[in-house]
Amino acid sequence: MSTPPPRETRFNEEASQWDSNPSVQRATSLAHQALLSRISCSQKDISTYDVLEIGCGTGLLSLSFAPSVRSITALDAAQGMIDVLKSKLQTSHTNIKNVLPVCALLEDPNDERIQLDPVNLEPPAAEEKRRFDLITSHLVLHHIPDLQPLLSLMFAALKPSTGKIMLTDYENFGPEARKFHPESKMDEVERHGIERAEMTRLMENAGFVDVKVEVAFEMEKPIETFPGSGIMEGKMNFPFLFCEGRRP
Ligand SMILES: C[S@@+](CC[C@H](N)C(=O)[O-])C[C@H]1O[C@@H](n2cnc3c(N)ncnc32)[C@H](O)[C@@H]1O
């Protein structure tokens, strides 16, 4: 499969400063806790899990989660984000050997870049296809123009009967949800958060069962004092939804 040209996206420029935003760190930490607590509710041993994270950014969630699972394929559309993650793996996180950063969109579950095993960098045996135990994403769904095809691709990339998605993003709870982003950062924001009923419907349409979409946590975040001011001296609480479903 050919590698497409680098994608133009604001996340390339934002990558080097991404981790210095306290709200990004806090949101990831809350998402990680939510993920671990939901998995432990299902009493599964996740040390054997092969995980795919979509929209991993600089790898904040992948690097926190990596010690708990067998492997993480960390996918992001922005080369800048992937470069920061690669550099962390070569400098500050050299102990982590089971995360494979990949600059790509999920467009084909058989894409050879996600078929590689992050632990040994080997492709699956001939005639076999690599499928995931868990697909996760955090703060990515609001950037996706059309969620239905992506959910169908996630479904196809999971192990039948056991594979699960666990996705988090802030909730579109009404017009105030727009305040999540300052007006200068509306580029590539496709929706102001995700909606419970819509996510449930889209996940069920994609074929998922045991679908649950509920608030997992709330996070206070700086907001603009008035839209477009650029002055981030206001504060508001934003609910985050946790979207869970299983491939039957
Ligand atoms: C708001 S950032 C979140 C990054 C990271 N999850 C975090 O919380 O720090 C959204 C990320 O999703 C990536 N992204 C957007 N659409 C994507 C897609 N279709 N496939 C993969 N990554 C995508 C962007 O490049 C960006 O890094």
Side-chain angles (χ1 to χ4, degrees), residues 130-229:
R130 190 159 187 272
R131 294 293 180 254
F132 295 93
D133 297 286
L134 177 68
I135 298 180
T136 190
S137 79
H138 170 57
L139 280 171
V140 178
L141 300 178
H142 68 271
H143 291 297
I144 308 289
D146 188 356
L147 288 169
Q148 190 70 77
L150 180 64
L151 287 166
S152 297
L153 283 161
M154 290 184 189
F155 184 92
L158 286 168
K159 290 184 181 165
S161 114
T162 54
K164 286 188 121 188
I165 49 172
M166 291 187 167
L167 317 171
T168 60
D169 207 338
Y170 69 100
E171 181 176 20
N172 182 354
F173 56 92
E176 294 271 281
R178 180 184 178 93
K179 295 184 179 168
F180 191 89
H181 293 92
E183 292 296 315
S184 61
K185 294 273 175 80
M186 289 301 180
D187 235 24
E188 299 179 49
V189 173
E190 297 290 339
R191 58 184 64 71
H192 300 297
I194 52 171
E195 290 177 12
R196 291 184 213 203
E198 189 194 16
M199 280 308 296
T200 306
R201 180 178 60 77
L202 293 172
M203 288 162 70
E204 287 175 350
N205 278 352
F208 288 101
V209 295
D210 305 336
V211 170
K212 264 193 265 170
V213 179
E214 53 195 22
V215 174
F217 57 88
E218 289 203 349
M219 193 186 86
E220 192 181 61
K221 177 179 188 301
I223 58 165
E224 283 184 312
T225 44
F226 62 88
S229 68

Side-chain angles (χ1 to χ4, degrees), residues 103-138:
C103 181
L105 301 169
L106 178 61
E107 290 175 318
D108 173 6
N110 299 329
D111 183 326
E112 61 193 22
R113 294 167 293 176
I114 65 169
Q115 288 295 307
L116 285 186
D117 184 334
V119 174
N120 52 28
L121 298 181
E122 284 180 9
E127 306 303 316
E128 278 183 25
K129 293 292 176 208
R130 190 159 187 272
R131 294 293 180 254
F132 295 93
D133 297 286
L134 177 68
I135 298 180
T136 190
S137 79
H138 170 57

Side-chain angles (χ1 to χ4, degrees), residues 29-42:
S29 161
L30 291 166
H32 183 217
Q33 284 167 31
L35 197 55
L36 289 178
S37 77
R38 300 292 154 129
I39 293 172
S40 67
C41 282
S42 65

Side-chain angles (χ1 to χ4, degrees), residues 7 9-12 14 18-19 24-25 27-28 53-61 75-79 81 104-106 137-145 150 180-181 188:
R7 201 163 168 254
T9 154
R10 71 173 165 93
F11 293 109
N12 286 325
E14 291 183 23
W18 192 254
D19 291 5
V24 165
Q25 296 279 357
T28 305
E53 186 187 356
I54 304 215
C56 64
T58 60
L60 292 170
L61 182 62
L75 212 71
D76 199 282
Q79 186 65 55
M81 291 290 199
L105 301 169
L106 178 61
S137 79
H138 170 57
L139 280 171
V140 178
L141 300 178
H142 68 271
H143 291 297
I144 308 289
L150 180 64
F180 191 89
H181 293 92
E188 299 179 49

